[in-house]
Amino acid sequence: MAYKSGFDASAIESDFENAGVNPNFIPLIWKHVLQNPNCRWDEIQSLPSAAYNLLNSKYKPCTSTLHSAVNSSDQVTTKLLIKLKNGEFVEAVIMRYDTRLGKYDGKPRPGGPRSTLCISSQVGCKMGCRFCATGTMGFKNNLSSGEILEQLVHASRITTIRNVVFMGMGEPLNNYSAVVEAIRVMTAPPFQLSPKKITVSTVGIIPAISKLQRDLPNLNLAVSLHAPAQEIRCQIMPAARAFPLERLMNTLWEYQASSQQKIFIEYIMLDGVNDEEQHAHQLGKLLEKFQVVVNLIPFNPIGSLSTYRTSDVQKVTKFQKILRGTYNIRTTVRKEMGQDISGACGQLVVNLPDKKSAGSANLLTDIEDLRI
């Protein structure tokens, strides 16, 4: 029998109710497992006997294991390789930041050191974006809500996680119900993350974007746009054919009107493909009526798989100046982290390192704080 994760919320809640066990015990169980992920169920005190019987027969505290945790050379990034119960692997990345290093409206930011977890929602990905290593794996399977949450459990054993971004392996909105269920648990005891500290990134799954705001208000939405014109998007993101740019922008307009929140726009800079001045003006005109933050992302090569080149610094700077100066669009250039351990944006593809390391971090400022 395949045991379920103790963090598979809907399953354990349904089983508890059917067994006549008060579901209010579930957050207490999660709290204990969060602090003791290798525990046995009988170590949790004061549960009804029916709860122990149910847990022992159907569930494990964690169905995944942390295979390795590899630190970048600057100790700012840690890439976690997590083995699932079916033998597959996913990656998650811890990124350490110091809010005080950033500025907002020309003034120093409040806050201090904390960590963001980049989380995976699938093994592999169906989207096939040509600049992304994960796409080379193809799609293998969706993660359950428990497997998504267990990434947070493993990461929390290493450092306190304050922000979560669904920017790891997979397209989150193609695993919609599991992602929504996992986020609902993240924002409840014992995790208690603020919805404003959680960001879901999508290539633009139009029906799911429309539903997301209703199901998870106050969540942050990031859209992997990567091009200002449909033909370029289709060239570098084959899945864009199913979600035409005009329809996507209309959907985002409705999303923003309903949510009254800024939208993050992710834009990977590919030399000679989408980084010319004309592209900056096209993007500016496309977004000038929106409340957005554009994150310009340096392309991270993926070894022999790379058919693209990284835009030079001058091009990126000029692109940013056009968006800011001509169109008054808030634009940042992402500080890439974890390139030396293939943990940066677009580099997540499963490999099996042997080394495990830990250490102190030299902290950076976090682009996710731009929403404040």
Side-chain angles (χ1 to χ4, degrees), residues 65-118:
T65 56
L66 179 61
H67 181 275
S68 62
V70 182
N71 282 345
S72 60
S73 57
D74 60 10
Q75 304 293 307
V76 169
T77 303
T78 302
K79 184 165 73 169
L80 310 181
L81 186 64
I82 296 168
K83 186 175 183 179
L84 306 175
K85 64 181 179 182
N86 64 359
E88 297 286 356
F89 290 84
V90 292
E91 294 181 331
V93 181
I94 298 170
M95 299 166 287
R96 300 172 179 86
Y97 303 96
D98 191 336
T99 311
R100 296 166 297 185
L101 298 179
K103 290 187 176 181
Y104 181 74
D105 200 21
K107 300 175 183 177
R109 306 182 64 87
R114 80 288 183 286
S115 298
T116 289
L117 179 65
C118 179

Short mmCIF file of all heavy atoms in Angstrom, two decimals, residues 65-118:
data_model
loop_
_atom_site.label_atom_id
_atom_site.label_comp_id
_atom_site.label_asym_id
_atom_site.label_seq_id
_atom_site.Cartn_x
_atom_site.Cartn_y
_atom_site.Cartn_z
N THR A 65 12.16 12.47 1.04
CA THR A 65 13.38 12.60 1.84
C THR A 65 14.31 13.61 1.19
O THR A 65 14.31 13.77 -0.04
CB THR A 65 14.11 11.24 1.96
OG1 THR A 65 14.39 10.74 0.64
CG2 THR A 65 13.28 10.24 2.72
N LEU A 66 15.08 14.28 2.02
CA LEU A 66 16.06 15.24 1.51
C LEU A 66 17.31 14.46 1.09
O LEU A 66 18.03 13.94 1.92
CB LEU A 66 16.39 16.27 2.58
CG LEU A 66 17.42 17.34 2.18
CD1 LEU A 66 16.95 18.15 0.99
CD2 LEU A 66 17.72 18.26 3.37
N HIS A 67 17.52 14.37 -0.23
CA HIS A 67 18.66 13.61 -0.75
C HIS A 67 19.96 14.38 -0.58
O HIS A 67 20.98 13.83 -0.18
CB HIS A 67 18.43 13.29 -2.22
CG HIS A 67 19.53 12.49 -2.86
ND1 HIS A 67 20.67 13.07 -3.39
CD2 HIS A 67 19.66 11.15 -3.05
CE1 HIS A 67 21.45 12.12 -3.88
NE2 HIS A 67 20.86 10.95 -3.69
N SER A 68 19.93 15.69 -0.87
CA SER A 68 21.14 16.51 -0.72
C SER A 68 20.76 17.97 -0.59
O SER A 68 19.69 18.41 -1.05
CB SER A 68 22.09 16.32 -1.91
OG SER A 68 21.46 16.74 -3.12
N ALA A 69 21.64 18.74 0.04
CA ALA A 69 21.50 20.19 0.15
C ALA A 69 22.86 20.78 -0.17
O ALA A 69 23.82 20.60 0.57
CB ALA A 69 21.05 20.59 1.56
N VAL A 70 22.95 21.47 -1.31
CA VAL A 70 24.23 21.96 -1.80
C VAL A 70 24.23 23.48 -1.80
O VAL A 70 23.33 24.11 -2.37
CB VAL A 70 24.51 21.44 -3.23
CG1 VAL A 70 25.87 21.93 -3.72
CG2 VAL A 70 24.45 19.93 -3.25
N ASN A 71 25.23 24.07 -1.16
CA ASN A 71 25.34 25.52 -1.07
C ASN A 71 26.14 26.08 -2.23
O ASN A 71 27.12 25.48 -2.70
CB ASN A 71 26.03 25.93 0.23
CG ASN A 71 25.11 25.86 1.43
OD1 ASN A 71 23.90 25.79 1.28
ND2 ASN A 71 25.68 25.88 2.61
N SER A 72 25.74 27.27 -2.68
CA SER A 72 26.53 28.01 -3.66
C SER A 72 27.82 28.49 -3.00
O SER A 72 27.94 28.52 -1.77
CB SER A 72 25.74 29.21 -4.20
OG SER A 72 25.38 30.08 -3.14
N SER A 73 28.78 28.89 -3.82
CA SER A 73 30.08 29.28 -3.29
C SER A 73 30.00 30.50 -2.38
O SER A 73 30.79 30.65 -1.45
CB SER A 73 31.06 29.56 -4.44
OG SER A 73 30.53 30.56 -5.30
N ASP A 74 29.02 31.38 -2.63
CA ASP A 74 28.87 32.56 -1.78
C ASP A 74 27.96 32.31 -0.58
O ASP A 74 27.68 33.22 0.19
CB ASP A 74 28.35 33.76 -2.59
CG ASP A 74 27.00 33.50 -3.24
OD1 ASP A 74 26.36 32.46 -2.93
OD2 ASP A 74 26.58 34.32 -4.08
N GLN A 75 27.47 31.07 -0.43
CA GLN A 75 26.65 30.66 0.71
C GLN A 75 25.29 31.36 0.76
O GLN A 75 24.59 31.28 1.77
CB GLN A 75 27.40 30.90 2.04
CG GLN A 75 28.75 30.21 2.14
CD GLN A 75 28.64 28.71 2.18
OE1 GLN A 75 27.91 28.16 3.00
NE2 GLN A 75 29.34 28.02 1.30
N VAL A 76 24.90 32.00 -0.31
CA VAL A 76 23.62 32.72 -0.33
C VAL A 76 22.47 31.80 -0.77
O VAL A 76 21.34 32.00 -0.38
CB VAL A 76 23.72 33.96 -1.25
CG1 VAL A 76 22.36 34.58 -1.52
CG2 VAL A 76 24.65 34.99 -0.63
N THR A 77 22.78 30.79 -1.57
CA THR A 77 21.77 29.91 -2.14
C THR A 77 22.03 28.47 -1.75
O THR A 77 23.19 28.03 -1.74
CB THR A 77 21.78 30.04 -3.68
OG1 THR A 77 21.58 31.40 -4.04
CG2 THR A 77 20.68 29.20 -4.31
N THR A 78 20.98 27.74 -1.42
CA THR A 78 21.08 26.31 -1.15
C THR A 78 20.08 25.57 -2.02
O THR A 78 18.88 25.87 -1.98
CB THR A 78 20.81 25.98 0.32
OG1 THR A 78 21.72 26.71 1.16
CG2 THR A 78 20.97 24.50 0.59
N LYS A 79 20.57 24.63 -2.84
CA LYS A 79 19.68 23.85 -3.68
C LYS A 79 19.39 22.51 -3.01
O LYS A 79 20.30 21.76 -2.66
CB LYS A 79 20.27 23.62 -5.08
CG LYS A 79 19.30 22.88 -6.00
CD LYS A 79 19.69 22.96 -7.46
CE LYS A 79 20.90 22.10 -7.77
NZ LYS A 79 21.10 21.98 -9.23
N LEU A 80 18.10 22.22 -2.82
CA LEU A 80 17.67 20.99 -2.19
C LEU A 80 17.23 20.00 -3.26
O LEU A 80 16.43 20.35 -4.15
CB LEU A 80 16.49 21.25 -1.25
CG LEU A 80 16.64 22.38 -0.23
CD1 LEU A 80 15.39 22.46 0.64
CD2 LEU A 80 17.89 22.21 0.61
N LEU A 81 17.75 18.80 -3.20
CA LEU A 81 17.31 17.73 -4.07
C LEU A 81 16.49 16.77 -3.22
O LEU A 81 16.99 16.21 -2.23
CB LEU A 81 18.50 17.01 -4.69
CG LEU A 81 18.17 15.94 -5.74
CD1 LEU A 81 17.49 16.56 -6.95
CD2 LEU A 81 19.43 15.19 -6.16
N ILE A 82 15.22 16.63 -3.57
CA ILE A 82 14.26 15.91 -2.73
C ILE A 82 13.76 14.68 -3.48
O ILE A 82 13.29 14.78 -4.62
CB ILE A 82 13.10 16.84 -2.35
CG1 ILE A 82 13.63 18.00 -1.49
CG2 ILE A 82 12.00 16.08 -1.62
CD1 ILE A 82 12.65 19.13 -1.29
N LYS A 83 13.87 13.52 -2.82
CA LYS A 83 13.42 12.27 -3.42
C LYS A 83 11.99 11.98 -3.00
O LYS A 83 11.67 11.96 -1.81
CB LYS A 83 14.33 11.11 -3.00
CG LYS A 83 14.01 9.79 -3.71
CD LYS A 83 15.00 8.70 -3.35
CE LYS A 83 14.70 7.41 -4.11
NZ LYS A 83 15.69 6.34 -3.76
N LEU A 84 11.13 11.76 -3.97
CA LEU A 84 9.72 11.49 -3.73
C LEU A 84 9.48 10.00 -3.51
O LEU A 84 10.34 9.16 -3.80
CB LEU A 84 8.87 11.98 -4.90
CG LEU A 84 9.07 13.44 -5.31
CD1 LEU A 84 8.26 13.75 -6.57
CD2 LEU A 84 8.69 14.38 -4.19
N LYS A 85 8.29 9.66 -3.04
CA LYS A 85 7.99 8.27 -2.73
C LYS A 85 7.97 7.38 -3.97
O LYS A 85 8.18 6.16 -3.88
CB LYS A 85 6.65 8.17 -1.99
CG LYS A 85 5.44 8.62 -2.80
CD LYS A 85 4.17 8.51 -1.98
CE LYS A 85 2.96 9.00 -2.78
NZ LYS A 85 1.72 8.95 -1.98
N ASN A 86 7.75 7.98 -5.17
CA ASN A 86 7.75 7.19 -6.40
C ASN A 86 9.14 7.04 -7.01
O ASN A 86 9.29 6.50 -8.11
CB ASN A 86 6.78 7.79 -7.44
CG ASN A 86 7.20 9.19 -7.91
OD1 ASN A 86 8.20 9.74 -7.46
ND2 ASN A 86 6.43 9.76 -8.82
N GLY A 87 10.16 7.56 -6.29
CA GLY A 87 11.53 7.45 -6.77
C GLY A 87 12.00 8.61 -7.62
O GLY A 87 13.20 8.71 -7.93
N GLU A 88 11.09 9.49 -8.03
CA GLU A 88 11.48 10.67 -8.79
C GLU A 88 12.08 11.73 -7.85
O GLU A 88 11.94 11.65 -6.63
CB GLU A 88 10.27 11.26 -9.53
CG GLU A 88 9.65 10.33 -10.56
CD GLU A 88 10.49 10.20 -11.82
OE1 GLU A 88 11.52 10.90 -11.93
OE2 GLU A 88 10.12 9.39 -12.70
N PHE A 89 12.72 12.72 -8.46
CA PHE A 89 13.34 13.81 -7.71
C PHE A 89 12.78 15.15 -8.15
O PHE A 89 12.44 15.34 -9.33
CB PHE A 89 14.86 13.82 -7.92
CG PHE A 89 15.58 12.66 -7.30
CD1 PHE A 89 15.67 11.44 -7.96
CD2 PHE A 89 16.19 12.79 -6.06
CE1 PHE A 89 16.34 10.36 -7.39
CE2 PHE A 89 16.87 11.72 -5.48
CZ PHE A 89 16.94 10.50 -6.15
N VAL A 90 12.69 16.08 -7.21
CA VAL A 90 12.41 17.48 -7.53
C VAL A 90 13.44 18.35 -6.82
O VAL A 90 14.10 17.90 -5.88
CB VAL A 90 10.99 17.94 -7.11
CG1 VAL A 90 9.93 17.26 -7.95
CG2 VAL A 90 10.75 17.71 -5.63
N GLU A 91 13.56 19.58 -7.30
CA GLU A 91 14.49 20.52 -6.69
C GLU A 91 13.73 21.71 -6.13
O GLU A 91 12.73 22.15 -6.68
CB GLU A 91 15.52 21.00 -7.72
CG GLU A 91 16.44 19.88 -8.17
CD GLU A 91 17.49 20.34 -9.17
OE1 GLU A 91 17.25 21.29 -9.92
OE2 GLU A 91 18.57 19.71 -9.20
N ALA A 92 14.23 22.22 -5.02
CA ALA A 92 13.76 23.47 -4.42
C ALA A 92 15.00 24.28 -4.07
O ALA A 92 16.08 23.70 -3.86
CB ALA A 92 12.91 23.20 -3.19
N VAL A 93 14.87 25.59 -4.02
CA VAL A 93 16.04 26.44 -3.80
C VAL A 93 15.74 27.45 -2.69
O VAL A 93 14.74 28.17 -2.74
CB VAL A 93 16.44 27.20 -5.09
CG1 VAL A 93 17.67 28.07 -4.85
CG2 VAL A 93 16.70 26.22 -6.23
N ILE A 94 16.62 27.47 -1.69
CA ILE A 94 16.56 28.49 -0.64
C ILE A 94 17.43 29.66 -1.06
O ILE A 94 18.60 29.49 -1.42
CB ILE A 94 17.06 27.94 0.71
CG1 ILE A 94 16.19 26.77 1.18
CG2 ILE A 94 17.09 29.04 1.77
CD1 ILE A 94 16.76 26.03 2.38
N MET A 95 16.87 30.88 -1.00
CA MET A 95 17.62 32.09 -1.34
C MET A 95 17.59 33.03 -0.14
O MET A 95 16.51 33.36 0.35
CB MET A 95 16.98 32.75 -2.57
CG MET A 95 16.99 31.87 -3.80
SD MET A 95 15.90 32.46 -5.13
CE MET A 95 14.29 32.05 -4.42
N ARG A 96 18.76 33.43 0.30
CA ARG A 96 18.87 34.26 1.50
C ARG A 96 19.06 35.72 1.11
O ARG A 96 19.87 36.04 0.25
CB ARG A 96 20.04 33.78 2.37
CG ARG A 96 19.87 32.32 2.84
CD ARG A 96 21.11 31.81 3.54
NE ARG A 96 20.92 30.43 3.99
CZ ARG A 96 21.14 29.36 3.23
NH1 ARG A 96 21.56 29.51 1.98
NH2 ARG A 96 20.94 28.14 3.72
N TYR A 97 18.33 36.60 1.79
CA TYR A 97 18.30 38.01 1.46
C TYR A 97 18.40 38.87 2.72
O TYR A 97 18.18 38.40 3.83
CB TYR A 97 16.99 38.40 0.76
CG TYR A 97 16.70 37.64 -0.50
CD1 TYR A 97 15.87 36.52 -0.47
CD2 TYR A 97 17.23 38.03 -1.72
CE1 TYR A 97 15.58 35.81 -1.63
CE2 TYR A 97 16.95 37.33 -2.88
CZ TYR A 97 16.13 36.23 -2.83
OH TYR A 97 15.85 35.54 -3.98
N ASP A 98 18.70 40.14 2.51
CA ASP A 98 18.58 41.13 3.57
C ASP A 98 17.78 42.30 3.02
O ASP A 98 18.22 43.03 2.14
CB ASP A 98 19.96 41.61 4.03
CG ASP A 98 19.89 42.45 5.30
OD1 ASP A 98 18.81 43.03 5.56
OD2 ASP A 98 20.89 42.53 6.02
N THR A 99 16.56 42.43 3.53
CA THR A 99 15.66 43.48 3.05
C THR A 99 16.28 44.86 3.14
O THR A 99 16.03 45.73 2.31
CB THR A 99 14.35 43.46 3.88
OG1 THR A 99 13.87 42.12 3.94
CG2 THR A 99 13.30 44.36 3.27
N ARG A 100 17.12 45.09 4.14
CA ARG A 100 17.68 46.42 4.37
C ARG A 100 18.62 46.86 3.26
O ARG A 100 18.94 48.05 3.16
CB ARG A 100 18.43 46.42 5.71
CG ARG A 100 17.55 46.19 6.91
CD ARG A 100 18.36 45.87 8.14
NE ARG A 100 19.13 44.64 7.99
CZ ARG A 100 19.85 44.08 8.95
NH1 ARG A 100 19.91 44.66 10.14
NH2 ARG A 100 20.51 42.96 8.73
N LEU A 101 19.07 45.92 2.42
CA LEU A 101 19.98 46.27 1.33
C LEU A 101 19.26 46.89 0.15
O LEU A 101 19.88 47.47 -0.73
CB LEU A 101 20.75 45.03 0.88
CG LEU A 101 21.65 44.38 1.93
CD1 LEU A 101 22.34 43.16 1.35
CD2 LEU A 101 22.68 45.37 2.44
N GLY A 102 17.92 46.74 0.11
CA GLY A 102 17.14 47.32 -0.97
C GLY A 102 16.65 48.72 -0.63
O GLY A 102 16.78 49.20 0.49
N LYS A 103 16.12 49.39 -1.63
CA LYS A 103 15.53 50.72 -1.43
C LYS A 103 14.13 50.73 -2.01
O LYS A 103 13.82 50.00 -2.96
CB LYS A 103 16.39 51.79 -2.09
CG LYS A 103 17.72 52.03 -1.39
CD LYS A 103 18.45 53.23 -1.98
CE LYS A 103 19.74 53.51 -1.20
NZ LYS A 103 20.45 54.69 -1.73
N TYR A 104 13.29 51.55 -1.42
CA TYR A 104 11.95 51.74 -1.93
C TYR A 104 11.68 53.23 -1.94
O TYR A 104 11.80 53.90 -0.92
CB TYR A 104 10.92 51.01 -1.06
CG TYR A 104 9.50 51.16 -1.57
CD1 TYR A 104 9.09 50.47 -2.70
CD2 TYR A 104 8.60 52.00 -0.95
CE1 TYR A 104 7.82 50.60 -3.19
CE2 TYR A 104 7.30 52.15 -1.43
CZ TYR A 104 6.92 51.44 -2.55
OH TYR A 104 5.65 51.57 -3.04
N ASP A 105 11.33 53.74 -3.13
CA ASP A 105 11.06 55.17 -3.26
C ASP A 105 12.26 55.99 -2.79
O ASP A 105 12.11 57.05 -2.18
CB ASP A 105 9.80 55.54 -2.47
CG ASP A 105 9.19 56.85 -2.95
OD1 ASP A 105 9.47 57.24 -4.11
OD2 ASP A 105 8.43 57.48 -2.19
N GLY A 106 13.46 55.47 -3.08
CA GLY A 106 14.68 56.20 -2.76
C GLY A 106 15.11 56.14 -1.32
O GLY A 106 16.11 56.74 -0.93
N LYS A 107 14.39 55.40 -0.49
CA LYS A 107 14.70 55.35 0.94
C LYS A 107 15.10 53.93 1.33
O LYS A 107 14.65 52.96 0.72
CB LYS A 107 13.49 55.79 1.77
CG LYS A 107 13.03 57.22 1.46
CD LYS A 107 11.75 57.53 2.23
CE LYS A 107 11.23 58.93 1.87
NZ LYS A 107 9.95 59.22 2.57
N PRO A 108 15.92 53.79 2.38
CA PRO A 108 16.28 52.44 2.86
C PRO A 108 15.03 51.68 3.28
O PRO A 108 14.09 52.25 3.82
CB PRO A 108 17.20 52.72 4.05
CG PRO A 108 17.71 54.10 3.83
CD PRO A 108 16.62 54.84 3.13
N ARG A 109 15.05 50.37 3.07
CA ARG A 109 13.91 49.54 3.42
C ARG A 109 14.02 49.07 4.86
O ARG A 109 15.11 48.83 5.36
CB ARG A 109 13.83 48.33 2.50
CG ARG A 109 13.83 48.67 1.02
CD ARG A 109 13.70 47.40 0.20
NE ARG A 109 12.41 46.79 0.46
CZ ARG A 109 11.28 47.10 -0.18
NH1 ARG A 109 11.31 48.01 -1.13
NH2 ARG A 109 10.15 46.53 0.12
N PRO A 110 12.91 48.88 5.53
CA PRO A 110 12.94 48.27 6.87
C PRO A 110 13.13 46.77 6.74
O PRO A 110 13.08 46.20 5.66
CB PRO A 110 11.56 48.61 7.43
CG PRO A 110 10.68 48.68 6.21
CD PRO A 110 11.55 49.26 5.11
N GLY A 111 13.31 46.11 7.86
CA GLY A 111 13.37 44.65 7.85
C GLY A 111 14.74 44.14 8.23
O GLY A 111 15.49 44.77 8.96
N GLY A 112 15.09 42.99 7.70
CA GLY A 112 16.35 42.35 8.04
C GLY A 112 16.53 41.06 7.27
O GLY A 112 15.86 40.82 6.26
N PRO A 113 17.43 40.20 7.73
CA PRO A 113 17.70 38.95 7.01
C PRO A 113 16.51 38.00 7.06
O PRO A 113 15.83 37.91 8.06
CB PRO A 113 18.90 38.36 7.78
CG PRO A 113 19.44 39.47 8.60
CD PRO A 113 18.30 40.38 8.89
N ARG A 114 16.28 37.31 5.97
CA ARG A 114 15.30 36.23 5.93
C ARG A 114 15.49 35.43 4.64
O ARG A 114 16.32 35.79 3.81
CB ARG A 114 13.86 36.73 6.09
CG ARG A 114 13.20 37.31 4.91
CD ARG A 114 13.74 38.64 4.51
NE ARG A 114 13.04 39.21 3.39
CZ ARG A 114 13.17 38.80 2.16
NH1 ARG A 114 13.94 37.81 1.88
NH2 ARG A 114 12.52 39.38 1.19
N SER A 115 14.73 34.38 4.49
CA SER A 115 14.92 33.46 3.37
C SER A 115 13.64 33.26 2.57
O SER A 115 12.55 33.25 3.13
CB SER A 115 15.42 32.10 3.88
OG SER A 115 16.67 32.22 4.52
N THR A 116 13.83 33.08 1.27
CA THR A 116 12.75 32.76 0.35
C THR A 116 12.98 31.35 -0.18
O THR A 116 14.12 30.97 -0.49
CB THR A 116 12.71 33.77 -0.82
OG1 THR A 116 12.26 35.03 -0.33
CG2 THR A 116 11.78 33.31 -1.94
N LEU A 117 11.91 30.58 -0.31
CA LEU A 117 12.00 29.24 -0.87
C LEU A 117 11.34 29.21 -2.25
O LEU A 117 10.17 29.56 -2.39
CB LEU A 117 11.30 28.23 0.04
CG LEU A 117 11.32 26.77 -0.46
CD1 LEU A 117 12.74 26.23 -0.50
CD2 LEU A 117 10.42 25.89 0.40
N CYS A 118 12.12 28.82 -3.25
CA CYS A 118 11.60 28.60 -4.60
C CYS A 118 11.18 27.13 -4.68
O CYS A 118 11.99 26.23 -4.52
CB CYS A 118 12.67 28.92 -5.64
SG CYS A 118 12.14 28.66 -7.34
#
